Amino acid sequence: MLTHMKNYVLITGGAGFIGSHTADALARKGYKIRILDNLQSDVHAGKWPRYIKEKGYELIRGDVRKKNDWQKALRGISYVYHLAAYQDQRLDFSKFFETNTVSTALLYECIVGKKLPVKKVILASSQFVYGDGMYRCSHSNTTFYPELRTALQFARGEWDILCPHRKKAIPRPFCEDQSVNPTNSYGLSKRALEITAIRLGKTYGIPTTVFRYSIVQGSRQSPKNIYSGALRIFIQQALAGVPLTVYEDGHATRDFVSIKDVVAANVLALKNRKTDFEIYNVGGGKAHTVLGFAQAVKRITKTKSKISIGGFRRTDTRHAVSDISKLKKLGWGPKHTTEESIAEYVKWFKEEGFDRKINRRGLIELRRGIKK
Ligand SMILES: NC(=O)c1ccc[n+]([C@@H]2O[C@H](COP(=O)([O-])OP(=O)(O)OC[C@H]3O[C@@H](n4cnc5c(N)ncnc54)[C@H](O)[C@@H]3O)[C@@H](O)[C@H]2O)c1
């Protein structure tokens, strides 16, 4: 098995959304695929998903927090995509660092310790590292990095970020070279992953690329976890006929990127030497209001659900839109629209029969839990 391994790719989290699509694209290009995944219960209910089982990939059920599992998975590997992660906004803070950051250190520890011939490591970070990003104060024409909005601000329904002169401030799309300011454990652990990977990669000569994905959309996003992803939540709400819950005033902005464009970026980084030791935003290149997005879901699903506006989540960012010009310079660009991604997800969701298993009560409780 170890004789012809120069094209062997390890994908951690490969049973998941981005990992499985990346695996399929690389397999089509002739790479051999090995997947390391612990089949996290709130994503897969402990089973290999059908879309992976059928492909003939080498599957290892293991945990990126365990060095032994890394050692087993890295045997004979030339390229690594480290996509396994603990995600969302949860209170077990340390688990984010164990799964996202310590695992990254373990990966380099294994490569360096055993002098493994790994040619490239590509890691998933997130737009979340920027937090609220950078704003311009229109009063003094200076820039600043805002703190989290206060409970008082939320209570007053003052959704927009204000400058130090208490005037509305203007957000700047996130650029790779600006300071980052993660607002939750997920973002913090991803930032630590980035620094760890780029530093160890440079020091030990292991070409490394980090991608900060925006909100990724398309088929195979697990609908089991209702606490993540506006699309997953809106579609379940639309298909269940309950209101689509848009927080704040609906004018928060986001950028959404198709899984197909994300996969194209992942594939590009494998051989492109210019991407070594670099960090790139991978986004849709366009700002959408959350309200506009919910309206698009309504149109595409033809639901009678209303859109309900209000409530908030304390650590949500107000505007999160990435500048993608750095990656575009390498010839990459988003080719698929948000509407296409929504339609693709709805189609897959129904094909898999998830529309028949929607936890209507959970969706209503989710809304109650937020609107304090
Ligand atoms: N989907 C998005 O919108 C988005 C946005 C920004 C960044 N990302 C990042 O991209 C990567 C892939 O995300 P995704 O959307 O495909 O998520 P996903 O949940 O579909 O896939 C993640 C996979 O990792 C596995 N996993 C979790 N903990 C593990 C562990 N300890 N050991 C081994 N496997 C483990 C899960 O079982 C799952 O199959 C993640 O690193 C995520 O943080 C995703």
Side-chain angles (χ1 to χ4, degrees):
M1 193 174 75
L2 294 176
T3 46
H4 300 290
M5 289 222 160
K6 66 182 188 354
N7 281 334
Y8 231 105
V9 180
L10 171 65
I11 305 180
T12 73
F17 168 44
I18 299 176
S20 66
H21 281 289
T22 303
D24 292 351
L26 292 171
R28 282 195 293 273
K29 287 186 169 290
Y31 291 92
K32 284 183 173 295
I33 307 294
R34 182 182 297 157
I35 286 174
L36 173 65
D37 200 299
N38 72 348
L39 304 178
Q40 204 173 282
S41 57
D42 57 6
V43 186
H44 304 291
K47 287 192 287 214
W48 291 103
R50 200 161 44 87
Y51 56 74
I52 279 293
K53 264 199 314 202
E54 290 163 353
K55 302 283 168 55
Y57 303 148
E58 196 183 323
L59 305 179
I60 301 179
R61 186 165 181 176
D63 197 315
V64 294
R65 290 169 293 177
K66 293 186 183 155
K67 189 167 178 180
N68 276 350
D69 289 352
W70 270 117
Q71 280 170 334
K72 203 163 120 191
L74 281 166
R75 261 178 228 147
I77 288 291
S78 298
Y79 306 97
V80 180
Y81 286 84
H82 183 25
L83 308 181
Y86 193 54
Q87 302 173 72
D88 296 334
Q89 304 198 19
R90 310 192 214 204
L91 297 179
D92 44 357
F93 307 135
S94 58
K95 195 167 171 190
F96 289 94
F97 295 90
E98 286 165 10
T99 313
N100 305 344
T101 317
V102 175
S103 68
T104 301
L106 279 174
L107 162 62
Y108 287 87
E109 195 173 307
C110 291
I111 298 174
V112 174
K114 296 270 185 213
K115 298 192 172 54
L116 299 178
V118 171
K119 294 186 192 138
K120 181 93 191 207
V121 178
I122 294 154
L123 303 99
S125 181
S126 163
Q127 189 190 52
F128 259 102
V129 298
Y130 292 106
D132 267 306
M134 190 164 93
Y135 277 68
R136 191 164 58 77
C137 162
S138 48
H139 187 74
S140 60
N141 206 17
T142 53
T143 53
F144 71 103
Y145 290 87
E147 244 315 318
L148 276 178
R149 289 168 289 171
T150 62
L152 183 65
Q153 240 182 303
F154 280 118
R156 284 193 198 131
E158 225 173 61
W159 308 119
D160 279 317
I161 298 216
L162 302 178
C163 71
H165 304 93
R166 294 200 51 76
K167 298 265 186 320
K168 189 176 162 184
I170 299 139
R172 200 188 95 159
F174 303 149
C175 279
E176 293 88 344
D177 59 1
Q178 76 183 61
S179 295
V180 294
N181 191 17
T183 54
N184 60 27
S185 298
Y186 173 66
L188 286 164
S189 68
K190 286 290 190 183
R191 178 59 186 145
L193 163 157
E194 296 180 342
I195 304 168
T196 305
I198 298 283
R199 181 64 269 155
L200 294 177
K202 276 187 183 166
T203 304
Y204 296 98
I206 305 158
T208 295
T209 301
V210 172
F211 285 126
R212 292 176 178 164
Y213 307 130
S214 299
I215 303 171
V216 188
Q217 315 219 296
S219 61
R220 302 184 189 167
Q221 268 188 303
S222 172
K224 291 203 169 65
N225 186 348
I226 62 167
Y227 284 89
S228 59
L231 180 61
R232 276 175 268 194
I233 297 170
F234 288 164
I235 284 178
Q236 290 182 79
Q237 291 171 327
L239 297 180
V242 302
L244 275 61
T245 48
V246 172
Y247 302 137
E248 304 184 9
D249 58 356
H251 293 292
T253 54
R254 298 287 181 264
D255 85 88
F256 303 100
V257 59
S258 155
I259 180 66
K260 293 176 182 152
D261 294 322
V262 166
V263 167
N266 285 348
V267 172
L268 179 150
L270 195 79
K271 291 280 175 76
N272 189 318
R273 294 267 73 95
K274 287 186 183 148
T275 64
D276 292 352
F277 312 115
E278 295 288 340
I279 298 180
Y280 296 91
N281 291 335
V282 183
K286 213 173 142 191
H288 295 264
T289 66
V290 178
L291 178 59
F293 183 70
Q295 284 161 340
V297 170
K298 243 178 92 85
R299 267 196 314 278
I300 290 163
T301 57
K302 301 189 176 65
T303 182
K304 292 203 168 65
S305 296
K306 296 197 162 52
I307 294 179
S308 135
I309 298 177
F312 59 88
R313 294 191 299 188
R314 180 71 215 289
T315 54
D316 272 355
T317 51
R318 178 67 175 161
H319 298 291
V321 179
S322 292
D323 179 325
I324 51 172
S325 46
K326 182 172 171 185
L327 192 56
K328 275 176 125 179
K329 286 192 190 121
L330 301 184
W332 174 90
K335 293 196 169 69
H336 302 274
T337 66
T338 299
E339 283 72 16
E340 275 172 65
S341 304
I342 297 173
E344 185 193 318
Y345 187 64
V346 173
K347 182 169 171 281
W348 176 78
F349 197 89
K350 289 183 174 169
E351 277 167 8
E352 295 291 312
F354 289 122
D355 52 332
R356 296 193 295 274
K357 297 183 205 146
I358 292 172
N359 177 355
R360 210 165 171 274
R361 208 178 142 159
L363 291 167
I364 293 163
E365 275 167 10
L366 173 76
R367 169 96 190 126
R368 279 202 200 104
I370 298 300
K371 196 182 177 187
K372 291 188 193 79

